[in-house]
């Protein structure tokens, strides 16, 4: 049986309910779901989307109908040396040009099963675009809350898919608060990439693809940008599933990257804290997609990084600018948030073995950082 479960209170709720958070602590849900092993030899003949890993995904009857062929993005070598090599996974080549498609297709398939009056999302751009696109594919009415000052190109993309936009005065946190208030209204499905765990089970396919691409093994290090932590937590899910099923021999280190300007998780990690040490000051940063001062899943993120022997790195605004131009010079035009991991890896000594970084969003969404 699949059910929502609060990781703190252990309260459960049916996944058919529109309850978007734990009624006791108002925290995000996890999913009480047990995956089955994915047989590697059978993958060559399967559908070319993330649904090829059906055994690892929670059952969703409308998944294939909602799919836009997301997933299966290229893995490209960036550096190669005796000390260690770095490869990039090009998740900016998704249907809506960001990795958020991995989770959005899961939310849209689940929402179509429930048939809500409205699907609601909040985003600084990429998640909202993905929800709008997959909501359109599923025939759902969508509204997306965004902070004022969101990239006009991202707003245009959201509107093009037929979603309504609510621009909220203030920062990303103010937008999330406004969306959560609206999510309590009857008939609303909150397609939250933070609170709804179906999103995490979509992002975990990032690691399943690495496992398949590398012939049944995983990199030594997986570096991910972290704001709300949806890609990192999805990666941690996949690593535990693959290891638990005996499909890999080791767990890779998970290295999380934050912008120095907004780095509450990095501060908590290096202070040895199990949770945020206090509210972070939301200073301006080019990496707007990870500028989250109070991520609701902070405890889970910190625990996941520590469990793998990973760490947190931070990058400056100048390092982000330099990394974006460096990747563009290599033929890869990636938005500022999406280059944070390459910026961090470029500025630190190489780690042994293979390191993989995601390039999460296309540069065409925001342009070149100035």
């Amino acid at each position: 049986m699949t059910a929502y479960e609060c990781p703190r209170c252990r309260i459960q709720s049916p996944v058919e309910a529109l309850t978007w958070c734990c009624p006791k602590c108002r925290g995000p849900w996890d999913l009480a779901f047990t995956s089955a092993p994915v047989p590697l030899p059978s993958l060559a003949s399967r559908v070319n989307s993330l649904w090829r890993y059906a055994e690892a995904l929670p059952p969703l009857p409308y998944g294939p109908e909602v799919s836009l062929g997301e997933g299966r993005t290229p893995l490209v070598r960036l550096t190669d040396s005796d000390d260690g090599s770095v490869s990039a996974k090009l998740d900016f080549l998704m249907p809506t040009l960001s990795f958020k498609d991995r989770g959005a297709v899961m939310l849209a398939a689940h929402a179509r099963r429930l048939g809500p009056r409205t699907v609601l999302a909040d985003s600084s751009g990429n998640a909202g675009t993905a929800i709008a696109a997959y909501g359109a594919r599923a025939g759902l009415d969508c509204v997306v809350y965004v902070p004022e000052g969101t990239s006009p190109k991202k707003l245009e993309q959201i509107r093009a898919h037929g979603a309504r936009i609510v621009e909220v005065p203030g920062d990303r946190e103010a937008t999330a608060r406004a969306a959560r208030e609206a999510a309590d209204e009857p008939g609303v499905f909150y397609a939250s990439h933070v609170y709804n765990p179906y999103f995490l089970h979509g992002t975990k396919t990032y690691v399943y693809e690495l496992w398949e691409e590398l012939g049944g093994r995983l990199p030594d290090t997986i570096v991910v940008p972290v704001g709300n932590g949806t890609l990192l937590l999805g990666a941690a899910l996949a690593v535990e599933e693959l290891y638990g099923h005996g499909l890999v021999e080791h767990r890779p280190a998970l290295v999380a990257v934050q912008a120095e300007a907004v780095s509450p998780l990095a501060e908590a990690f290096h202070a040895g804290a199990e949770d945020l040490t206090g509210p972070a000051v939301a200073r301006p940063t080019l990496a707007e997609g990870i500028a989250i001062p109070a991520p609701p899943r902070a405890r889970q993120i910190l625990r996941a990084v520590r469990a793998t022997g990973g760490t947190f790195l931070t990058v400056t605004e100048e390092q982000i600018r330099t990394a974006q131009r460096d990747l563009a010079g290599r033929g890869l035009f990636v938005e500022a948030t999406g280059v944070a991991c390459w910026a961090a890896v470029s500025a630190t000594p190489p780690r042994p073995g293979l390191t993989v970084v995601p390039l999460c969003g296309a540069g065409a969404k925001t342009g070149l950082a100035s």
Side-chain angles (χ1 to χ4, degrees):
M1 184 184 72
T2 304
Y4 290 136
E5 182 176 72
C6 176
R8 285 193 176 190
C9 307
R10 297 303 172 190
I11 292 173
Q12 289 197 343
S13 173
V15 294
E16 293 78 17
L18 292 177
T19 305
W20 59 268
C21 67
C22 172
K24 183 176 180 180
C25 70
R26 299 286 284 181
W29 292 119
D30 280 350
L31 203 61
F33 161 74
T34 302
S35 69
V38 175
L40 184 63
S42 72
L43 292 178
S45 61
R46 294 195 179 186
V47 63
N48 197 37
S49 75
L50 61 81
W51 299 99
R52 66 198 285 107
Y53 311 112
E55 293 88 349
L57 299 176
L60 289 170
Y62 293 108
E65 289 86 351
V66 172
S67 175
L68 290 169
E70 59 290 323
R72 299 285 284 155
T73 55
L75 186 65
V76 175
R77 187 62 58 93
L78 293 179
T79 68
D80 199 356
S81 71
D82 293 337
D83 295 328
S85 60
V86 180
S87 290
K89 190 155 174 60
L90 311 189
D91 261 24
F92 68 91
L93 298 180
M94 290 283 197
T96 76
L97 309 182
S98 94
F99 88 95
K100 295 288 175 63
D101 290 4
R102 294 184 184 276
V105 67
M106 302 290 287
L107 291 181
H110 183 42
R112 182 174 173 182
R113 172 171 60 181
L114 302 182
R117 172 176 56 84
T118 299
V119 171
L120 183 149
D122 62 288
S123 168
S124 60
N126 285 339
T129 296
I131 295 298
Y134 284 93
R137 178 76 166 174
L140 300 166
D141 177 75
C142 292
V143 58
V144 180
Y145 282 56
V146 300
E148 59 182 0
T150 296
S151 165
K153 293 180 181 180
K154 291 182 179 180
L155 297 179
E156 182 181 12
Q157 195 178 5
I158 292 170
R159 290 193 179 100
H161 294 304
R164 290 168 286 124
I165 291 176
V166 176
E167 291 195 55
V168 179
D171 60 11
R172 181 67 183 82
E173 195 64 24
T175 303
R177 287 195 299 269
R180 291 195 289 265
E181 290 178 10
D184 285 327
E185 297 177 8
V188 174
F189 175 77
Y190 187 23
S192 172
H193 58 292
V194 181
Y195 280 80
N196 194 300
Y198 277 94
F199 196 94
L200 304 182
H201 283 269
T203 60
K204 78 180 180 184
T205 59
Y206 174 87
V207 168
Y208 273 91
E209 288 177 21
L210 292 177
W211 170 72
E212 181 184 358
E213 178 79 11
L214 297 174
R217 66 183 183 91
L218 289 175
D220 299 280
T221 305
I222 298 175
V223 185
V224 290
V226 174
N228 277 308
T230 53
L231 183 53
L232 184 137
L233 291 173
L237 271 174
V239 167
E240 290 306 311
E241 289 175 359
L242 289 166
Y243 186 80
H245 292 311
L247 296 174
V248 295
E249 295 181 354
H250 78 286
R251 296 179 178 91
L254 295 178
V255 175
V257 178
Q258 294 205 288
E260 187 178 90
V262 187
S263 53
L265 290 162
E267 292 172 11
F269 180 87
H270 292 297
E274 295 183 359
D275 205 341
L276 299 180
T277 54
V281 177
R283 292 179 288 165
T285 175
L286 295 168
E288 61 181 8
I290 54 173
I292 309 297
R297 294 186 183 269
R299 293 176 66 90
Q300 290 176 287
I301 296 166
L302 293 166
R303 192 182 308 122
V305 172
R306 289 192 173 106
T308 65
T311 190
F312 270 82
L313 303 174
T314 60
V315 290
T316 66
E317 301 303 292
E318 187 54 37
Q319 286 174 323
I320 292 171
R321 291 188 188 92
T322 300
Q324 189 184 39
R325 285 169 169 77
D326 177 59
L327 285 173
R330 298 167 184 258
L332 302 168
F333 187 28
V334 183
E335 68 176 353
T337 298
V339 306
C341 292
W342 177 238
V345 168
S346 300
T348 55
R351 297 177 70 95
L354 174 62
T355 294
V356 172
V357 300
L359 304 182
C360 296
K365 286 172 169 272
T366 55
L368 197 63
S370 58

